[in-house]
């Protein structure tokens, strides 16, 4: 079908609009339109491109994710080498560096541009006639790897540049940092923990791991960001200072970190360093220092480079968030799932303003790998909001009196046997009535995001467990006023308040109850997903691992721990007791299951679900999803802006459902 000129024009108009909206949303963080309006335009473009595939171009906003998984990354030579940076750590070293710069230039003062140094990885983006044609990692500076498909998935990376004064440069090689914000990193790790995948050690590793994925669909799901700070080859653009470079890159639509400063004296440089250092924890990303760059390119040329590092720039590093101290002891903590965690008890030490007296050692393998011993001098580090960790022992300070840690064979809390299940790194106390496990599981149950029983705090729980009044979670609902009144500092009024709170918690939502049970791998998000899918705890308890795996967001590991949890007679009894004591979740919905053996097809866009989620929900109920309408299809689900499938279904007499009906059918 020939493309009508009107369509061609509309497609171009839509792309220009969306490109501008994306720039405001992702780069400037200032949305111009509502999500609904954006979605409408995006869908219109997508539909036109589906109808006229010959109109699709690689720079279309619909084409961020394209191509097939690669098998390797092709090497890419950098036309202009990507230089590394020399470091300095003290104000004196910076003064020396500045003195050398001024001596080599024979000038009395130099302008510097200072930028925070983000802890990510450097990449290069090549734009030809304004189109992104290649993206690569820094590699060794001379040759990197082709990660174009992955870089295209980063929403802040423009697929096409905006013209400046009516023109786009014929060639522009942009250099910058791909990074991950701390909060996004923590979210990603929480997700990985729930899915039983190995965690990333820090945002930098997470960014690097995400960029080096052979399948760009995986990268697309990772919260990567980008800031531009330098250029390689440039044609059709005059740049003579760093200030000009940063402002021009910004005008071209590239993300530039707004936190930079032009400093006219070294004192100003020092002052900005102090500011960045004190604001370090306010930035959403990790920084490890400040980069100081000579502003004038003409002077950069005079200064040149040595050993692949420019003489015109330096990284003035921040002090490490590290300190040395002694390991007084290594104790073992028992968690609510019975996992034994070795914890280093430290001589208290201040690490960037916070006193640290304990640091987790994760598990026995980790203690062996790091070779941390009781009595050792160690380096401890605090990174972001993560709990402090022991980096390494200082071997040169060993006296020989240090003692190696051994995981106890008996639980330090209950004396029960400790086992290490095959293939796991964790040791566990298997005793379900271990007081430590009881204490932790009751603490978890009563916590704010679970049953939210205010007044049932850690100290009180400890007392009640010690007195034998709480032996399992259900005992909370057996507490009488007389039990409470014998406790220290418990008057009639606070006892009554607590009992009222306990009573109130009986009507907690199903998702809170599922979360409160403390099933391994089941965090709040998973609990929410499970509560949406199952109408009651009983229904969840009967689900097979297969049923569970069909739910989006539930991996095989979580599915099996959930099934194991409910297969355990002790846990089943607990469910029955809770129910008998009146813990009946509010707002539970009846479940329908009429999809078994049915084949469904979707057309148009669903508002509340992605296609993938919809497919998994159908499959979880024994249905199947096909891509095309045929006689074998039982139902057509029609979203907004449906395609030609509706006509076909009508022709074949296949019943159709709208989104609301479809959801009702699923039991939502
Ligand atoms: O934020 C950064 N990580 C950053 C790194 C930055 N803001 N500026 C940088 N400038 C350079 C030069 C001066 C060589 C253009 C850099 C880096 N280099 C760099 N990062 C890793 C190696 C070099």
């Amino acid at each position: 079908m020939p493309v009508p000129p009107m369509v061609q024009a509309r497609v171009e108009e839509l792309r220009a609009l969306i490109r501008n909206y994306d720039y405001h949303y992702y780069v400037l963080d200032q949305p111009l339109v509502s999500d609904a309006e954006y979605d409408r335009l995006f869908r219109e473009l997508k539909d036109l491109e589906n109808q006229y595939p010959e109109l699709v171009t690689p720079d279309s906003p619909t084409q961020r994710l394209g191509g097939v998984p690669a098998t390797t990354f092709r090497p890419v030579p950098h036309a202009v080498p990507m230089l590394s940076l020399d470091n300095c750590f003290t104000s004196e070293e910076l003064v020396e560096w500045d003195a050398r710069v001024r001596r080599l230039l024979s000038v009395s003062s130099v302008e510097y541009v200072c930028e925070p140094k983000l802890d990510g990885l450097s990449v290069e983006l090549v734009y030809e006639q304004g189109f992104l044609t290649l993206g690569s990692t820094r590699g060794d500076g001379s040759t990197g790897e082709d990660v174009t498909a992955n870089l295209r998935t980063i929403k802040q990376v423009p697929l096409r540049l905006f013209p400046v004064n009516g023109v786009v440069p014929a060639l522009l090689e942009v250099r910058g940092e791909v990074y991950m914000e701390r909060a996004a990193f923590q979210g990603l790790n929480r997700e990985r923990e729930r899915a039983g995948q190995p965690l990333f050690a820090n945002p930098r590793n997470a960014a690097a791991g995400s960029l080096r994925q052979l399948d760009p669909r995986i990268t697309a799901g990772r919260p990567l960001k980008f800031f531009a700070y330098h250029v390689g080859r440039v044609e059709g653009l005059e740049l003579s200072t760093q200030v000009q470079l940063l402002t021009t890159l910004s005008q071209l639509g590239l993300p530039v970190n707004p936190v930079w400063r032009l400093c006219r004296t070294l004192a100003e440089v020092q002052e900005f360093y102090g500011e960045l250092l004190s604001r370090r924890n306010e930035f959403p990303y990790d920084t490890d220092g400040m980069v100081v760059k000579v502003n004038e390119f003409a002077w950069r040329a005079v200064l040149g480079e040595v050993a692949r590092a420019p003489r015109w720039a330096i990284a003035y590093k921040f002090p490490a968030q590290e300190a040395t101290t002694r390991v007084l002891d290594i104790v073992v903590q028992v968690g609510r799932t019975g996992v034994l965690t070795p914890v280093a008890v430290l001589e208290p030490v201040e690490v960037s303003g916070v006193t640290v007296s304990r640091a987790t050692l994760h598990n026995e393998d980790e203690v062996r790998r790091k070779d941390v011993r009781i009595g050792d001098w160690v380096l401890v580090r605090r990174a972001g909001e993560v709990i402090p960790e022991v980096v390494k022992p200082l071997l040169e300070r060993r006296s020989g009196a240090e003692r190696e840690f051994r995981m106890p064979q008996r639980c330090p809390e209950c004396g029960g046997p400790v086992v290490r299940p095959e293939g796991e790194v964790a040791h566990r106390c298997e005793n379900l009535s271990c007081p430590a496990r009881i204490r932790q599981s009751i603490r978890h149950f009563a916590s704010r995001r679970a049953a939210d029983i205010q007044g049932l705090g850690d100290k009180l729980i400890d007392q009640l467990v010690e007195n034998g009044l709480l032996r399992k979670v259900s005992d909370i609902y057996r507490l009488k006023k007389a039990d409470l009144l014998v406790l220290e500092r418990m008057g009639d009024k606070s006892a009554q308040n607590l009992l009222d709170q306990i009573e109130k918690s009986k009507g907690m939502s199903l998702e809170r109850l599922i979360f409160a049970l403390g099933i391994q791998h089941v965090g709040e998000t998973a609990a929410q997903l499970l509560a949406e899918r199952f109408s009651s705890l009983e229904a969840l308890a009967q689900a097979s691992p297969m049923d569970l795996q069909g739910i989006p967001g539930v991996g095989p590991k979580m599915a099996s721990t959930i099934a194991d949890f409910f297969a355990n007679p002790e846990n089943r009894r607990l469910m029955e007791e809770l129910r008998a004591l009146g813990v009946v979740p509010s707002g539970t919905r009846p479940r329908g299951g009429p999809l078994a053996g049915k084949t469904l097809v979707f057309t148009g866009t669903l508002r509340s679900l992605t296609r993938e989620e919809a497919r998994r929900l159908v499959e979880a109920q024994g249905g199947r999803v096909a891509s095309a309408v045929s006689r074998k299809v039982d139902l057509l689900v029609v979203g907004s802006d449906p395609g030609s499938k509706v006509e076909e279904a009508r022709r074949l007499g296949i019943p159709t459902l709208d989104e609301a009906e479809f959801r009702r059918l699923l039991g939502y």
Side-chain angles (χ1 to χ4, degrees):
M1 202 183 328
V3 182
M6 288 276 285
V7 171
Q8 169 95 41
R10 179 62 178 159
V11 162
E12 273 159 27
E13 181 184 28
L14 286 167
R15 286 179 190 159
L17 279 171
I18 293 168
R19 198 173 299 125
N20 191 40
Y21 294 157
D22 277 346
Y23 176 69
H24 278 84
Y25 187 89
Y26 293 108
V27 178
L28 302 181
D29 219 355
Q30 291 163 354
L32 283 185
V33 287
S34 68
D35 289 354
E37 170 67 2
Y38 180 90
D39 289 346
R40 196 182 63 73
L41 296 174
F42 199 89
R43 230 174 295 129
E44 186 185 344
L45 176 60
K46 194 111 205 180
D47 287 347
L48 287 174
E49 287 179 346
N50 280 342
Q51 221 175 327
Y52 302 98
E54 60 271 45
L55 283 183
V56 176
T57 56
D59 67 304
S60 171
T62 61
Q63 302 299 307
R64 285 205 171 261
L65 193 56
V68 284
T71 45
T72 55
F73 297 114
R74 189 175 61 89
V76 178
H78 299 296
V80 181
M82 291 180 76
L83 301 178
S84 62
L85 274 173
D86 281 338
N87 289 328
C88 74
F89 296 90
T90 63
S91 161
E92 292 74 37
E93 287 176 292
L94 184 73
V95 168
E96 269 172 43
W97 174 79
D98 164 66
R100 186 180 61 169
V101 165
R102 287 184 295 107
R103 193 179 63 244
L104 290 167
L105 296 173
S106 314
V107 293
S108 58
S109 77
V110 184
E111 285 183 348
Y112 295 112
V113 168
C114 301
E115 304 162 9
K117 185 166 184 294
L118 268 67
D119 206 5
L121 56 150
S122 331
V123 299
E124 177 170 77
L125 304 168
V126 180
Y127 289 90
E128 293 175 83
Q129 309 299 341
F131 295 94
L132 175 63
T133 53
L134 182 64
S136 56
T137 59
R138 177 173 178 275
D140 64 4
S142 309
T143 309
E145 290 178 314
D146 181 347
V147 286
T148 314
N150 293 343
L151 287 169
R152 285 174 61 94
T153 68
I154 303 177
K155 297 288 210 322
Q156 293 185 310
V157 169
L159 299 179
R160 192 173 166 180
L161 300 175
F162 292 131
V164 176
N165 300 326
V167 289
V168 288
L171 175 68
L172 181 67
E173 293 177 346
V174 177
R175 285 152 185 204
E177 203 82 358
V178 167
Y179 66 98
M180 198 180 283
E181 293 188 346
R182 267 193 305 273
F185 158 74
Q186 282 158 8
L188 175 64
N189 258 357
R190 270 198 299 275
E191 227 172 75
R192 290 176 70 83
E193 187 164 27
R194 281 198 296 271
Q197 292 166 313
L199 303 189
F200 288 114
N202 52 51
R204 208 202 97 81
N205 287 5
S210 302
L211 195 61
R212 288 199 86 268
Q213 288 291 331
L214 289 166
D215 185 348
R217 283 172 300 186
I218 298 181
T219 310
R222 301 280 175 82
L224 291 177
K225 295 191 113 182
F226 174 74
F227 274 138
Y229 55 68
H230 197 52
V231 293
R233 287 184 299 174
V234 184
E235 288 168 22
L237 201 65
E238 277 308 315
L239 297 176
S240 54
T241 64
Q242 182 71 4
V243 171
Q244 216 175 36
L245 180 147
L246 294 174
T247 41
T248 309
L249 292 185
S250 193
Q251 288 168 338
L252 289 163
L254 288 152
V256 170
N257 191 345
V259 187
W260 59 266
R261 185 175 294 172
L262 173 65
C263 298
R264 295 197 161 77
T265 62
L266 195 64
E268 282 177 28
V269 172
Q270 305 268 26
E271 189 187 316
F272 191 52
Y273 176 83
E275 275 177 41
L276 292 184
L277 186 56
S278 67
R279 289 169 59 195
R280 190 176 183 186
N281 293 324
E282 293 166 27
F283 298 129
Y285 41 76
D286 277 350
T287 52
D288 59 356
M290 175 177 90
V291 189
V292 188
K293 304 176 180 181
V294 169
N295 186 32
E296 288 286 345
F297 290 1
W299 282 351
R300 290 186 182 183
V302 174
L303 292 162
E305 60 197 62
V306 264
R308 308 238 122 182
R311 269 196 290 227
W312 48 264
I314 196 159
Y316 184 6
K317 292 300 218 42
F318 291 148
Q321 315 217 37
E322 286 180 347
T324 53
T325 187
R326 281 189 77 185
V327 177
L328 302 177
D329 198 1
I330 297 177
V331 297
V332 169
Q333 265 178 7
V334 186
R336 88 185 126 81
T337 53
V339 170
L340 271 57
T341 307
V343 175
V345 178
L346 306 168
E347 198 159 284
V349 65
E350 199 169 296
V351 187
S352 40
V354 173
T355 304
V356 171
S357 55
R358 289 165 90 85
T360 176
L361 289 163
H362 303 289
N363 53 59
E364 191 181 29
D365 286 357
E366 187 78 357
V367 182
R368 292 274 164 277
R369 195 177 62 73
K370 288 186 172 161
D371 188 24
V372 178
R373 303 183 188 178
I374 300 162
D376 262 338
W377 281 92
V378 289
L379 194 62
V380 291
R381 174 193 299 157
R382 208 167 58 85
E385 279 120 274
V386 190
I387 14 163
E389 63 165 356
V390 173
V391 181
K392 60 172 185 186
L394 304 175
L395 299 179
E396 62 281 8
R397 293 182 77 165
R398 277 211 175 137
S399 68
E402 295 78 13
R403 282 181 297 122
E404 275 188 50
F405 166 78
R406 283 188 58 86
M407 192 54 97
Q409 312 228 300
R410 306 233 142 233
C411 171
E413 294 274 351
C414 69
V418 167
V419 298
R420 179 174 179 170
E422 187 91 30
E424 282 192 26
V425 289
H427 286 75
R428 264 172 220 286
C429 165
E430 297 272 85
N431 173 13
L432 285 171
S433 34
C434 168
R437 293 186 65 166
I438 294 174
R439 227 171 26 231
Q440 301 289 359
S441 58
I442 293 175
R443 280 183 185 185
H444 175 74
F445 188 92
S447 66
R448 196 168 55 80
R449 310 176 90 119
D452 190 23
I453 306 175
Q454 283 158 35
L456 192 55
D458 292 358
K459 293 242 166 65
L460 185 55
I461 292 172
D462 291 353
Q463 278 189 62
L464 291 166
V465 171
E466 213 158 289
N467 294 358
L469 286 166
L470 293 182
R471 289 200 170 84
K472 52 179 151 175
V473 163
S474 51
D475 289 343
I476 295 173
Y477 297 97
R478 294 194 178 93
L479 287 173
K480 307 255 175 330
K481 198 184 254 180
D483 299 332
L484 298 170
L485 288 174
V486 299
L487 301 173
E488 276 172 59
R489 288 194 299 276
M490 179 65 81
D492 189 86
K493 191 148 177 228
S494 34
Q496 190 54 49
N497 280 346
L498 177 58
L499 291 173
D500 291 347
Q501 287 291 327
I502 292 174
E503 189 59 32
K504 198 176 96 190
S505 75
K506 289 181 178 176
M508 75 182 110
S509 65
L510 181 59
E511 66 183 79
R512 277 179 180 267
L513 179 58
I514 294 171
F515 175 60
L517 293 174
I519 307 165
Q520 223 188 332
H521 303 307
V522 179
E524 275 176 286
T525 316
Q528 199 182 335
L529 290 170
L530 293 168
E532 278 168 12
R533 175 65 181 74
F534 296 95
S535 56
S536 64
L537 206 53
E538 290 70 27
L540 172 60
Q542 270 149 33
S544 71
M546 284 297 280
D547 295 335
L548 294 163
Q549 267 192 62
I551 301 170
V554 177
K557 202 157 171 175
M558 197 196 298
S560 81
T561 54
I562 296 169
D564 288 353
F565 181 90
F566 289 108
N568 182 324
E570 194 111 7
N571 291 331
R572 281 189 173 274
R573 201 167 322 129
L574 179 66
M575 301 303 108
E576 279 160 31
E577 287 177 7
L578 284 173
R579 206 181 145 81
L581 289 161
V583 181
V584 179
S586 59
T588 50
R589 291 152 290 216
R591 177 190 163 194
L595 287 179
K598 296 276 194 285
T599 300
L600 280 78
V601 169
F602 293 94
T603 181
T605 311
L606 300 179
R607 277 190 308 106
S608 55
L609 296 165
T610 65
R611 281 278 176 94
E612 184 60 17
E613 286 164 351
R615 183 178 65 74
R616 288 203 237 163
L617 284 170
V618 169
E619 286 173 1
Q621 301 207 6
R624 210 176 69 84
V625 173
S627 56
V629 174
S630 71
R631 280 179 206 290
K632 290 187 209 126
V633 171
D634 298 293
L635 285 169
L636 178 71
V637 179
V638 184
S640 54
D641 297 325
S644 58
K645 287 175 186 160
V646 182
E647 291 304 326
E648 264 193 86
R650 216 159 272 157
R651 204 163 50 76
L652 295 171
I654 295 165
T656 59
L657 293 176
D658 65 18
E659 183 167 351
E661 291 169 316
F662 171 61
R663 285 166 51 121
R664 238 170 284 139
L665 196 65
L666 285 174
Y668 270 137

